[in-house]
């Protein structure tokens, strides 16, 4: 074969390869032009439209061991029925008070608040960005306010104030996670997310939104709370146990409010940014708005929660902002 002929064959092969590759890229770009330039260029079926999707690479064995996406994070009438094992575990968290009839209380609760299935609407066009804001003193002087406020969902928790701390913590709150002993008043646009540790917490919520008769659980509690009752949500006890078993593998007595909020975010958001997590030098959970003399991390295993949170960062599931 002449050299000229060999060269022609080589050039034609090269041309064929270039055309084929270009056609593949072009067909992807018709689906979503931005993909042409993203790291997902060769994976056209992306689960969301954010720059990073939390469910990307969900089939990694570590993810498969931890995530159980079949459990709904929020309580509905339908999923409120608890297995015997879950009910026993949940009732043991803050035992000591004579429990009322759980299913009767749930029925009464859903006469006061809506019974809806929310947020389970993941789809390729959705980009739900979430900021989970813990209460750490590392927020002081961080100037994260605008960054936090730029998310679609902003989760805060317990006694966290924004007023007076806007520059560091932002102004918006879409969801506020609390329990009776940590309750504060909320504005009309914020969703109250109750984390119930016992049946009495569900009764307290009914009371706090209506008659104001319950004033004491194992501590004095606020009898009434300002919150939009059409926006109230309840953390599902079955999900609570799943967080403890699958994510914390039984470390600590039960997960902290921050960790419970974070795992909920992992289930309903496409992109999660985490702020205000991190103990002080003595390993205690200090707050950005007060000098609390918190003794270590109470009933929670702060170190274990921190390690899992950092693994989530390593696995590109969440972005962590460490503050000051
Ligand atoms: O102290 P509190 O429980 O109200 O804080 C909310 C959550 O923020 C905690 O449950 C914990 O997960 C997180 N936190 C933290 N480091 C701190 C303070 C709070 O990680 N210094």
């Amino acid at each position: 074969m002449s050299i000229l002929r060999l060269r022609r064959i080589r050039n034609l092969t090269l041309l064929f390869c270039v055309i084929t590759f270009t056609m593949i890229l072009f067909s992807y770009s018709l689906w979503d032009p931005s993909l042409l330039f993203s790291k997902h260029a060769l994976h056209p079926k992306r689960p969301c439209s954010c720059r990073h999707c939390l469910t990307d690479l969900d089939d990694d064995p570590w993810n498969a061991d931890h995530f159980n996406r079949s459990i709904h994070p929020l309580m509905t009438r339908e999923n409120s029925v608890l297995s015997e094992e879950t009910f026993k575990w949940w009732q043991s968290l803050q035992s000591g008070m004579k429990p009322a009839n759980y299913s009767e209380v749930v029925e009464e609760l859903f006469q006061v608040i809506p019974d809806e299935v929310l947020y389970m609407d993941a789809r390729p066009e959705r980009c739900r960005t979430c900021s989970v804001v813990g209460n750490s003193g590392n927020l002081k002087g961080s100037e994260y306010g605008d960054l936090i406020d730029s998310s679609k969902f902003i989760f805060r928790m317990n006694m966290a104030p924004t007023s007076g701390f806007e520059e560091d913590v932002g102004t918006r709150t879409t969801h506020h996670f609390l329990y009776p002993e940590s309750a504060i008043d909320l504005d009309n646009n914020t969703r109250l997310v109750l984390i119930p540790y016992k049946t009495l917490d569900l009764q307290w919520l009914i009371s706090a939104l209506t008659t104001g008769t319950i004033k004491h659980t194992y501590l004095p509690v606020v009898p009434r709370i300002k919150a939009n009752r059409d926006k109230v949500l309840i953390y599902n006890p079955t999900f609570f146990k799943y967080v403890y078993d699958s994510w914390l593998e039984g470390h600590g007595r039960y997960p902290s409010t921050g960790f419970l909020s974070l795992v909920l975010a992992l289930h309903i958001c496409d992109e999660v940014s985490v702020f205000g997590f991190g103990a002080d030098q003595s390993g205690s959970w200090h707050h950005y708005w007060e000098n609390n003399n918190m003794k270590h991390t109470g009933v929670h295993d702060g170190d274990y929660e921190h390690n899992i949170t950092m693994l989530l960062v390593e696995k590109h599931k969440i972005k962590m902002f460490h503050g000051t």
Side-chain angles (χ1 to χ4, degrees):
M1 225 184 288
S2 72
I3 290 192
L4 211 66
R5 210 187 139 105
L6 270 174
R7 268 203 193 137
R8 193 177 297 153
I9 290 175
R10 193 192 62 191
N11 288 345
L12 275 173
T13 312
L14 205 70
L15 188 68
F16 175 74
C17 289
V18 169
I19 290 173
T20 311
F21 187 65
T22 313
M23 278 176 68
I24 290 172
L25 279 189
F26 183 65
S27 67
Y28 287 171
S29 71
L30 281 180
W31 188 78
D32 179 353
S34 69
L35 286 175
L36 208 49
F37 306 102
S38 84
K39 67 170 183 163
H40 302 280
L42 295 174
H43 299 278
K45 288 212 168 108
R46 300 192 57 235
C48 81
S49 61
C50 303
R51 258 161 53 88
H52 304 280
C53 300
L54 219 146
T55 46
D56 277 340
L57 308 173
D58 231 8
D59 43 4
D60 165 296
W62 187 85
N63 292 324
D65 277 354
H66 289 81
F67 280 101
N68 180 349
R69 294 198 177 273
S70 70
I71 305 177
H72 195 300
L74 298 165
M75 190 198 269
T76 61
R77 256 197 192 96
E78 202 182 322
N79 70 26
S80 68
V81 180
L82 308 179
S83 73
E84 210 182 308
E85 192 195 351
T86 302
F87 188 66
K88 243 175 143 177
W89 174 82
W90 183 68
Q91 288 284 325
S92 75
L93 296 181
Q94 290 180 0
S95 52
M97 284 143 283
K98 190 175 171 293
N101 182 301
Y102 170 77
S103 41
E104 278 174 26
V105 172
V106 169
E107 187 44 44
E108 199 187 333
L109 178 66
F110 284 116
Q111 283 166 23
V112 176
I113 65 164
D115 176 17
E116 305 170 88
V117 177
L118 291 177
Y119 309 135
M120 307 317 277
D121 56 347
R123 59 190 187 282
E125 308 78 46
R126 191 185 81 174
C127 175
R128 180 178 293 143
T129 53
C130 299
S131 288
V132 180
V133 188
N135 290 341
S136 172
N138 71 24
L139 283 169
K140 250 190 295 186
S142 65
E143 299 187 8
Y144 285 150
D146 288 343
L147 192 58
I148 291 172
D149 276 347
S150 67
S151 288
K152 283 198 179 140
F153 281 4
I154 297 158
F155 295 175
R156 300 186 198 273
M157 51 205 77
N158 298 337
M159 313 261 187
T162 52
S163 177
F165 304 91
E166 293 84 350
E167 216 177 314
D168 295 333
V169 308
T171 56
R172 297 177 48 230
T173 309
T174 59
H175 298 75
H176 198 109
F177 293 72
L178 51 76
Y179 44 92
E181 298 81 13
S182 75
I184 58 167
D185 287 337
L186 307 178
D187 68 44
N188 215 40
N189 296 317
T190 302
R191 284 189 178 275
L192 185 162
V193 186
L194 177 80
I195 302 182
Y197 293 82
K198 48 194 175 303
T199 308
L200 182 57
D201 293 352
L202 302 173
Q203 293 173 281
W204 168 81
L205 183 66
I206 300 167
S207 160
L209 294 170
T210 56
T211 56
T213 46
I214 298 182
K215 301 182 170 110
H216 203 278
T217 57
Y218 64 90
L219 284 176
V221 290
V222 288
R224 288 184 188 276
I225 185 165
K226 261 197 213 135
N228 184 339
R229 66 157 98 164
D230 295 331
K231 285 181 177 278
V232 170
L233 303 170
I234 312 290
Y235 204 98
N236 181 357
T238 304
F239 193 84
F240 196 146
K241 186 168 188 302
Y242 146 71
V243 175
Y244 185 61
D245 292 342
S246 285
W247 287 91
L248 296 185
E249 295 180 28
H251 286 82
R253 272 256 298 124
Y254 45 85
S256 71
T257 317
F259 198 79
L260 289 168
S261 315
L262 174 61
V263 180
L264 184 135
L266 297 177
H267 279 249
I268 70 165
C269 305
D270 296 312
E271 240 180 56
V272 175
S273 303
V274 177
F275 304 84
F277 279 62
D280 65 11
Q281 281 170 344
S282 68
S284 297
W285 279 344
H286 59 329
H287 290 157
Y288 63 84
W289 68 92
E290 63 178 356
N291 283 323
N292 55 326
N293 291 319
M294 174 88 189
K295 274 208 198 87
H296 206 59
T297 54
V299 294
H300 313 296
D301 190 333
D303 290 339
Y304 198 83
E305 291 192 6
H306 176 76
N307 293 342
I308 296 290
T309 309
M310 295 321 289
L311 260 174
L312 284 163
V313 175
E314 243 175 67
K315 294 189 172 288
H316 307 288
K317 290 282 168 201
I318 60 173
K319 223 168 156 190
M320 179 86 165
F321 294 84
H322 294 279
T324 53

